[in-house]
């Protein structure tokens, strides 16, 4: 999965997500979710980064299942043992809700975990014609994130050392962080410029991202075959 | 073959005064030139003008002109400009935009439109020149300050500019790495004729190498000195510039002075204030930065911690200030100490927070925002005499006229003074200072060390500080520890 061109992967998965929005079939959703999980597990992606975000998703899916299960009947019905009686249409309805949460999380995580961000930016620039200043600006900002996390902790400690208790995300913490981020981004843009980077200039591209036969097959599967199957057999 | 600066008038604010006011100079490519002077004299600003970074990124050029090899650097596009002037900045953390060393070098080569077929060879040559082949696939955010500057050197080698401009590039680099980078720069200067224009307030690295030292005062080049001239050292020292490892006034005379005033407490070597036992810190699982730290710091003592960059000084200070998790013990207070009993640092409750004060590398990390006055008052704003007390403190450190200004708008030296004063308003028992004199000139260094040591001595507090400046450690510490191989040695 990590060999697929990132732009093709993005377009294919967005089209597939749209197609799924019009289908209400848990078998289809769960099937695609299972494929996503298998692709993640058999890729070189960090497995922990998959399982941890899945915890809240599974909780959400269980919650949605019971919502769908309970509200198959008219919303004004009173909850009693009779309503909780197991009926196959209720389970089906619950599964539709729950499987949607799972399939969208699966698709999103598969993209995030199997895509190298440097390749992604190069591909967005070449295939989707995203301006290079946005593409590389995005990468530089990404590089700042660990420093911002550390800075956030450092500012909290500074408050603590003065005996002042602050809540997470309190405005006084965030103001300090915003001031610093602005300064950092200024310094970073100067450093990028001094290495010859400019918004308009012509750059060469080492190892450019190409659209290969495998990428076309991926696009055909996600944009044509799967949506057609979904519409024909799972509406 | 020169950088010419004629009658430059430059200010950061539209209606403010000029930071550079009528500076004139010609820097020849065959000479190594160092610009020096006190903090705030405009030396970095002049360098940024020569690099074409200003005025397009900040400030207003009100008059005069800059010419690099006969052309205006501000009028060139970045890919053209970077072949004329390459910059190495003070803060190694904010120079890169890719994730690994290899990708950063590829990014640099792509910027100047190197033929993709040539990139692997150019990349290899750059890594070999900077002697960092072993770092090729490392992530940039895991490198130490010295390693980052070596990566920057490799980038500059790849760009191959006519001039290299260095803005206090060794401020965060240990001596061994600084010497290595310096040797490489000289090699480029001699072999390829690359011009070197350097801003540094400490001349120890440059004294034997520089052909010219330009002393800046009040936005002008006051005089140009050749280090080989007789009396050169003395005239620079008279201007407050640190030439070599000049001794500092030191703690002995300071303590005697305070003792005479009758307000000091002498160190008490029987009462431990901070005890570290088998302390270890790891940022990545299985790769501890610190393995086994054992030391006892006694009440009232001043301790320096020195070591190569990347040895884990900041990790140790980060662990003590609560930034990183640690294993083992770090016990604050001891039998007979003045504080309210012993407490493990990671288990400190709210009432204990003020007992351990810390000064960070960048004073900005300590600011809580608001105004200069609020910064000082944060400690005692509920007390009835808060207004009067804050006025007294601010007048003492010369910042009273800035009381309603945001602390971020102060100069580096002023920010540092404010940071120390704000901290001194707390009755802390142990003061942990991570490179408190980072990127400060000699005058500020002395002022900062004196105010820290004075504050510590007056309340009998223990002080730990880390530094790259061996002389500073020798002159201000009662005991020097070296951090090496994850452990602390006396």
């Amino acid at each position: 999965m990590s060999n697929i061109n990132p732009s093709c992967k993005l377009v294919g998965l967005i089209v597939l997500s749209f197609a799924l929005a019009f289908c209400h079939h848990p078998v289809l959703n769960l099937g695609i979710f299972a494929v996503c999980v298998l692709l993640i597990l058999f890729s070189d992606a960090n497995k922990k980064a998959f399982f941890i975000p899945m915890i809240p998703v599974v909780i959400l899916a269980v919650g949605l299942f019971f919502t769908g299960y309970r509200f198959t009947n008219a919303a004004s019905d009173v909850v009693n043992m009779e309503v909780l009686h197991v009926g196959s249409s209720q389970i089906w309805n619950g599964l539709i809700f729950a499987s949607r949460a799972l399939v969208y999380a699966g698709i999103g995580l598969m993209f995030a975990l199997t895509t190298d961000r440097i390749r992604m930016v190069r591909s967005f620039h070449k295939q989707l014609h995203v301006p290079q200043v946005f593409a590389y600006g995005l990468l530089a900002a990404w590089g700042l994130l660990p420093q911002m996390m550390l800075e956030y902790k450092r500012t909290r400690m500074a408050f603590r050392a003065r005996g002042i208790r602050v809540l997470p995300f309190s405005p006084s913490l965030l103001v300090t962080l915003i001031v610093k981020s602005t300064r950092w981004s200024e310094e970073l843009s100067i450093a990028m410029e001094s290495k010859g980077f400019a918004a308009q200039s012509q750059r060469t591209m080492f190892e450019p991202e190409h659209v290969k036969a495998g990428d076309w097959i991926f696009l055909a599967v996600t944009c044509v075959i799967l949506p057609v199957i979904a519409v024909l057999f799972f509406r | 073959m020169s950088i010419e600066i004629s009658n430059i008038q430059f200010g950061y604010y539209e209606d403010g005064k000029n930071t550079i006011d009528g500076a004139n100079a010609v820097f020849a490519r065959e000479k190594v030139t160092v610009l020096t002077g006190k903090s705030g004299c405009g030396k970095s600003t002049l360098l940024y003008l020569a690099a074409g970074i200003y005025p397009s990124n900040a400030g207003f050029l009100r008059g005069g002109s800059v010419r690099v090899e006969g052309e205006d650097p501000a009028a060139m596009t970045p890919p053209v400009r970077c072949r004329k002037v390459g910059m190495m900045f003070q803060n190694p953390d904010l120079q890169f935009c890719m994730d690994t060393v290899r990708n950063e070098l590829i990014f640099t080569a792509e910027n100047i439109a190197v033929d993709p077929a040539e990139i692997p060879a150019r990349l290899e040559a750059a890594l070999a020149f900077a002697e960092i082949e072993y770092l090729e696939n490392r992530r940039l955010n895991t490198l130490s300050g010295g390693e980052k500057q070596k990566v920057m050197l490799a980038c500059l080698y790849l760009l191959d500019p006519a001039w290299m401009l260095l803005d206090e590039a060794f401020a965060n680099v240990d001596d061994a790495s600084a010497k290595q980078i310096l040797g490489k720069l000289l090699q480029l200067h001699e072999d390829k004729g690359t011009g070197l224009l350097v801003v540094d307030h400490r001349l120890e690295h440059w004294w034997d190498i520089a052909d010219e030292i330009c002393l800046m005062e009040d936005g002008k080049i006051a005089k140009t000195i050749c280090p080989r001239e007789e009396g050169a050292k003395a005239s620079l020292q008279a201007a407050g510039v640190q030439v070599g490892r000049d001794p500092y006034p030191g703690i002995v005379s300071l303590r005697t002075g305070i003792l005479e005033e009758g307000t000091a407490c002498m160190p008490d070597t029987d009462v431990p204030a901070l005890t570290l036992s088998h302390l270890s810190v790891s940022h990545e699982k299985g790769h501890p930065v610190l393995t086994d730290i054992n030391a006892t710091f006694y009440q009232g003592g001043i301790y320096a911690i020195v070591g190569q960059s990347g040895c884990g000084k900041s990790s140790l200070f980060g662990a003590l200030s609560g930034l990183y998790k640690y294993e083992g013990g770090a016990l604050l207070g001891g039998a007979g100490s003045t504080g309210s009993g012993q407490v493990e640092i990671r288990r400190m409750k709210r009432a204990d927070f003020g007992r351990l004060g810390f000064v960070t590398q960048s004073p900005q990390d300590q600011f809580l925002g608001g105004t200069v006055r609020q910064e000082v008052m944060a400690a005692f704003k509920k007390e009835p005499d808060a207004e009067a007390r804050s006025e007294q403190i601010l007048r003492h450190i010369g910042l009273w006229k800035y009381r309603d200004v945001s602390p971020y708008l102060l100069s580096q030296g002023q920010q540092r003074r404010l940071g120390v004063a704000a901290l001194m308003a707390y009755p802390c028992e142990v003061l942990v200072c991570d490179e408190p004199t980072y990127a400060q000139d000699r005058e500020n260094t002395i002022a900062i060390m004196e105010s820290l040591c004075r504050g510590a001595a007056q309340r009998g507090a223990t002080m730990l500080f880390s530094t790259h400046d061996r002389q500073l450690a020798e002159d201000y510490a009662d005991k020097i520890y070296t951090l090496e191989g994850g452990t602390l040695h006396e």
Side-chain angles (χ1 to χ4, degrees):
Chain A
M1 204 51 201
S2 38
N3 291 328
I4 305 277
N5 178 296
S7 299
C8 295
K9 205 192 287 182
L10 183 74
V11 171
L13 294 179
I14 287 178
V15 172
L16 180 64
S17 305
F18 257 105
L20 289 177
F22 297 105
C23 297
H24 308 286
H25 208 293
V27 174
L28 179 72
N29 288 344
L30 290 174
I32 292 176
F33 173 67
V35 172
C36 290
V37 173
L38 286 177
L39 286 172
I40 292 172
L41 293 183
F42 286 104
S43 72
D44 50 3
N46 180 359
K47 309 295 178 296
K48 204 172 145 193
F50 168 67
F51 286 113
I52 291 177
M54 276 315 286
I55 297 171
V57 173
V58 169
I59 295 172
L60 180 74
V62 172
L64 283 173
F65 172 80
F66 282 105
T67 313
Y69 175 78
R70 161 69 186 87
F71 291 106
T72 313
N73 293 341
S76 56
D77 281 2
V78 190
V79 182
N80 54 30
M81 284 314 287
E82 211 168 298
V83 174
L84 288 172
H85 171 73
V86 179
S88 64
S89 74
Q90 289 171 313
I91 291 184
W92 192 252
N93 197 43
L95 279 175
I96 290 175
F97 278 31
S99 63
R100 282 202 159 203
L102 291 175
V103 74
Y104 285 124
I107 290 175
L109 281 171
M110 181 174 71
F111 182 79
L113 297 177
T114 61
T115 311
D116 177 70
R117 64 171 196 265
I118 306 274
R119 276 190 63 199
M120 182 180 84
V121 162
R122 283 189 187 141
S123 162
F124 282 5
H125 177 48
K126 191 162 161 64
Q127 272 91 40
L128 303 181
H129 302 289
V130 171
Q132 60 190 18
V133 70
F134 284 118
Y136 287 92
L138 201 70
L139 271 187
W142 188 276
L144 277 182
L145 281 180
Q147 207 163 349
M148 285 178 73
M149 295 299 288
L150 190 66
E151 204 56 45
Y152 173 76
K153 269 169 116 182
R154 204 174 266 156
T155 317
R156 281 200 82 172
M157 289 306 142
F159 276 88
R160 206 183 85 160
R162 311 253 193 112
I164 301 166
R165 194 164 24 184
V166 279
L167 296 169
F169 305 110
S170 106
S172 40
L173 276 177
L174 296 181
V175 164
T176 325
L177 206 60
I178 288 168
V179 170
K180 279 175 198 160
S181 308
T182 317
R183 285 177 161 233
W184 289 340
S185 52
E186 252 172 45
E187 276 188 52
L188 199 56
S189 77
I190 288 176
M192 284 169 77
E193 228 179 64
S194 81
K195 277 189 193 145
F197 180 79
Q200 307 297 340
S201 70
Q202 270 298 317
R203 310 172 76 242
T204 49
M205 208 173 260
F206 182 63
E207 296 171 349
E209 290 295 327
H210 295 295
V211 181
K212 297 180 288 288
D215 302 320
W216 286 114
I217 296 172
F218 179 82
L219 280 177
V221 170
T222 51
C223 300
V224 184
I225 300 174
L226 280 177
V228 168
I229 292 175
V231 172
L232 291 182
F233 301 105
F234 293 102
R235 282 206 74 171
Chain B
M1 305 288 270
S2 62
I3 293 180
E4 285 177 48
I5 283 169
S6 42
N7 201 24
I8 288 280
Q9 316 266 342
F10 176 87
Y12 284 100
Y13 303 104
E14 201 163 6
D15 47 0
K17 76 172 190 119
N18 285 338
T19 310
I20 303 288
D21 202 8
N24 285 295
V26 178
F27 306 115
R29 222 164 103 175
E30 55 276 9
K31 289 180 178 171
V32 177
T33 311
V34 180
L35 284 171
T36 192
K38 292 180 187 176
S39 300
C41 69
K43 52 190 190 298
S44 292
T45 310
L46 195 65
L47 196 76
Y48 276 46
L49 280 163
I53 293 168
Y54 294 161
S56 61
N57 282 285
F60 299 89
L61 185 63
R62 298 197 179 95
S65 65
V66 182
R67 292 286 176 270
V68 177
E69 312 280 298
E71 291 178 69
D72 180 5
M76 299 175 200
T77 61
V80 177
R81 193 166 63 210
C82 73
R83 306 301 294 268
K84 296 269 183 202
V85 275
M87 277 287 284
M88 197 186 269
F89 298 92
Q90 182 181 351
N91 188 344
D93 295 334
L94 297 172
Q95 302 193 61
F96 306 112
C97 86
M98 301 301 259
D99 57 347
T100 63
V101 174
R102 179 187 158 82
N103 282 333
E104 186 68 30
L105 284 164
I106 291 173
F107 167 76
T108 309
E110 288 173 339
N111 288 341
I112 52 166
V114 175
D115 180 1
E118 279 178 34
I119 290 182
R122 296 275 291 267
L123 192 139
E124 212 171 290
L127 288 169
F129 175 76
E131 294 177 27
I132 49 166
E133 292 99 330
Y134 64 101
L135 295 178
E136 182 176 347
N137 292 310
R138 282 274 300 276
R139 298 188 82 79
L140 285 157
N141 59 10
T142 62
L143 304 184
S144 73
E147 288 169 334
K148 281 182 184 157
Q149 291 298 47
K150 283 182 201 166
V151 175
M152 196 57 209
L153 178 72
C155 289
L156 285 175
Y157 180 80
L158 217 158
L159 291 170
D160 190 23
W163 281 85
M164 285 195 189
L165 274 46
L166 278 73
D167 182 20
E168 312 247 9
F170 302 142
N172 209 6
V173 175
D174 62 277
D175 281 350
S177 303
K179 269 203 186 99
Q180 201 187 346
I181 297 171
L182 204 58
K184 295 287 173 188
L185 289 170
L186 273 183
Q187 192 185 328
L188 286 178
H189 179 69
E190 279 158 17
D191 298 350
K192 293 190 168 187
T194 310
L196 288 177
L197 180 59
V198 175
V199 160
D200 217 320
H201 61 255
R202 285 175 60 186
L203 297 178
E204 55 180 293
H205 295 302
W206 301 103
W207 190 254
D208 297 329
I209 297 159
D211 298 301
E212 269 182 358
I213 294 173
C214 297
L215 179 69
M216 285 196 68
E217 271 169 16
D218 302 325
K220 288 187 189 70
I221 293 174
K223 52 182 149 179
T224 303
I225 297 162
C226 170
R228 254 65 77 194
E229 265 170 31
E230 212 172 301
K233 215 170 215 174
S235 69
L236 282 165
Q237 278 168 336
V241 177
Q242 183 154 4
V243 177
R245 285 185 52 174
D246 311 336
Y248 294 97
I251 186 64
V252 180
S253 63
L254 186 71
R255 269 214 187 105
T256 323
I258 309 170
L259 265 184
E260 277 166 12
E261 291 167 21
T263 51
C265 308
M266 283 307 277
D268 188 340
T269 48
D270 292 330
V271 185
L274 178 68
T275 313
L276 308 179
S277 50
H278 307 297
L279 184 133
S280 67
V281 176
S282 1
H283 299 306
E284 286 171 75
K285 223 173 185 178
H287 297 284
V289 186
L290 306 173
T291 48
D292 190 23
I293 304 276
N294 293 292
T296 305
F297 304 101
Y298 292 95
Q299 194 173 299
I302 295 177
Y303 301 88
I305 293 175
V306 296
Q308 300 279 324
S309 64
C311 70
K313 290 194 293 282
S314 291
S315 299
L316 175 62
F317 283 79
L320 295 179
S321 59
L323 207 55
Y324 305 125
K325 282 186 184 146
Y326 64 86
E327 302 284 322
L331 206 59
L332 186 66
S337 72
T338 47
S340 43
Q342 287 182 316
V343 62
E344 180 67 38
I345 287 180
R346 63 173 158 237
R347 298 211 182 86
M348 283 201 301
K349 295 274 181 310
R350 201 176 169 202
D352 295 314
F353 285 164
R355 289 174 65 187
L356 184 79
F358 62 90
V359 174
T360 48
Q361 239 180 51
S362 157
Q364 292 187 2
D365 293 345
Q366 287 172 244
F367 293 149
L368 313 179
T371 64
V372 167
R373 190 170 197 168
Q374 282 167 358
E375 195 61 39
V376 176
M377 270 179 29
F380 46 81
K381 65 179 173 202
K382 286 184 186 137
E383 288 172 26
D385 62 342
E387 295 276 324
R389 226 170 114 191
S390 65
E391 182 176 343
Q392 190 195 351
I393 293 174
L394 286 176
R395 281 192 192 282
H396 181 69
I397 57 170
L399 294 180
W400 175 243
K401 65 176 170 178
Y402 299 111
R403 61 189 175 276
D404 294 324
V405 170
S406 161
Y408 293 103
L409 293 174
L410 300 177
S411 77
Q412 278 244 349
Q414 289 167 337
Q415 286 188 353
R416 189 42 99 194
R417 289 213 296 274
L418 177 66
V420 171
L423 198 75
M424 284 303 170
Y426 290 85
C428 57
E429 293 161 37
V430 177
L431 198 58
V432 178
C433 316
D434 187 11
E435 306 244 7
T437 60
Y438 169 71
Q440 299 288 333
D441 63 15
R442 185 177 165 81
E443 198 179 318
N444 276 336
T445 299
I446 296 173
I448 290 162
M449 286 313 288
E450 294 214 340
S451 66
L452 283 171
C453 294
R454 178 180 285 271
Q458 280 174 345
R459 67 192 61 192
T462 310
M463 183 172 133
L464 266 71
F465 70 96
S466 67
T467 181
H468 278 122
D469 184 351
R470 183 86 203 176
Q471 191 67 42
L472 192 80
E474 279 170 19
D475 292 338
Y476 282 99
D478 296 317
K479 200 182 244 183
I480 302 175
Y481 283 96
T482 309
L483 193 56
E484 206 175 19
T487 56
L488 212 51
H489 313 277
E490 255 179 59

